[in-house]
Amino acid sequence: MIQVRELTKIFGNQHSLDNVSLEMQCGDRVIIMGQNGAGKTTLVRAMLGEYIPSHGQVRIDSFDPFVQRDKALARIGFVPQLPPPIRLSVQELIRYAVVSSGASWEKIFEICTKMELDVKANMHKLFFKLSGGMKQKLLIAIALARDPKIFIFDEPTANLDPGGRAIFYELLQPYQEGRLMIFISHRLEEIGDLVNRKIEMDLGKVVNDVVL
Ligand SMILES: Nc1ncnc2c1ncn2[C@@H]1O[C@H](COP(=O)(O)OP(=O)(O)OP(=O)(O)O)[C@@H](O)[C@H]1O
Ligand SMILES: [Mg+2]
């Protein structure tokens, strides 16, 4: 489903990704680990077509995410490490997600409720004025409601309280079959039951790739 071939990304004179090659298939539930600055977020951003590779290529179900972005992104539900500064109200953001991806209002509300986010009470608040954990919960709910074939979560529980983390992992259980899931996380102990493959990065390279 995802093919990364000899991918290098250079910012200035820094190799943030250095000749990375990877294949990820349906059924893989991958944790990507590595120190701060190792290149994890750069790798997933390249998968989302946000960066032009300096060298090499990425394919999402055979689509180049930089050239055929719509087709590639339609297959991916992404929850970012840092929520973007979206200047829409919660209601407008949900409406946008519903119109652009076919997720239903009901499903988004249902998942928010499970995550203990009172979305109806915050409908008219601007997204960027929500707390960090509330933003993360809403973005998780939208990603799950879209139900894509590929999920990419970049440190999705970083802003969640312990209860929120437990609920998040519980919510993912029914999504395990027939999909590819990628988690960037520093917490293998938290996520260990869910993943079946561990990729470690260091200095822009994949230094370890093991089946768990
Ligand atoms: N847009 C950019 N412009 C310049 N440098 C960048 C850019 N994006 C990433 N980098 C650099 O690439 C390196 C890898 O960053 P990246 O965000 O991929 O690390 P990470 O593994 O996700 O780290 P963390 O665990 O802190 O999230 C860093 O040195 C970072 O400064
Ligand atoms: Mg990162």
Side-chain angles (χ1 to χ4, degrees):
M1 292 176 110
I2 297 185
Q3 190 183 56
V4 176
R5 207 180 292 153
E6 296 175 1
L7 183 65
T8 294
K9 181 64 194 171
I10 303 172
F11 291 111
N13 57 5
Q14 182 186 11
H15 284 60
S16 296
L17 295 174
D18 188 358
N19 199 28
V20 172
S21 293
L22 281 172
E23 300 253 350
M24 295 183 188
Q25 308 297 349
C26 187
D28 284 357
R29 296 187 300 279
V30 186
I31 180 169
I32 303 180
M33 306 188 76
Q35 292 182 347
N36 297 136
K40 307 180 298 293
T41 296
T42 307
L43 177 61
V44 301
R45 295 250 171 222
M47 291 173 179
L48 298 165
E50 293 181 15
Y51 298 137
I52 315 177
S54 306
H55 176 80
Q57 63 176 39
V58 180
R59 291 290 179 270
I60 308 292
D61 269 354
S62 83
F63 296 109
D64 179 332
F66 192 75
V67 179
Q68 294 154 298
R69 194 129 191 253
D70 290 356
K71 290 215 164 66
L73 291 189
R75 288 158 170 74
I76 300 177
F78 172 58
V79 177
Q81 179 171 17
L82 295 173
I86 300 168
R87 298 194 71 88
L88 294 176
S89 70
V90 168
Q91 184 175 35
E92 288 164 340
L93 176 61
I94 296 176
R95 184 180 300 125
Y96 174 76
V98 167
V99 170
S100 63
S101 73
S104 74
W105 286 90
E106 293 72 27
K107 191 74 189 167
I108 294 172
F109 286 154
E110 180 194 316
I111 298 170
C112 285
T113 303
K114 284 186 184 158
M115 298 196 79
E116 296 170 352
L117 172 64
D118 188 351
V119 77
K120 288 188 177 155
N122 289 286
M123 263 333 218
H124 301 291
K125 211 180 245 186
L126 287 173
F127 174 78
F128 77 87
K129 291 193 175 169
L130 296 177
S131 77
M134 291 162 84
K135 285 179 196 161
Q136 205 101 28
K137 286 178 177 179
L138 182 55
L139 295 180
I140 289 168
I142 290 172
L144 292 180
R146 287 183 52 207
D147 197 8
K149 288 285 172 214
I150 301 172
F151 283 105
I152 303 179
F153 298 104
D154 193 349
E155 302 194 23
T157 61
N159 289 313
L160 301 188
D161 56 46
R165 285 182 191 167
I167 295 168
F168 169 67
Y169 291 118
E170 242 174 72
L171 275 174
L172 290 179
Q173 296 297 337
Y175 291 87
Q176 291 190 38
E177 299 302 315
R179 295 179 183 80
L180 163 61
M181 288 195 183
I182 301 170
F183 302 89
I184 296 178
S185 174
H186 298 290
R187 302 189 185 88
L188 183 58
E189 73 288 352
E190 186 181 293
I191 216 171
D193 289 347
L194 207 61
V195 293
N196 55 19
R197 178 175 172 188
K198 179 174 77 166
I199 290 174
E200 287 179 71
M201 295 186 66
D202 190 30
L203 300 174
K205 289 181 188 292
V206 170
V207 292
N208 199 12
D209 186 349
V210 289
V211 174
L212 295 175

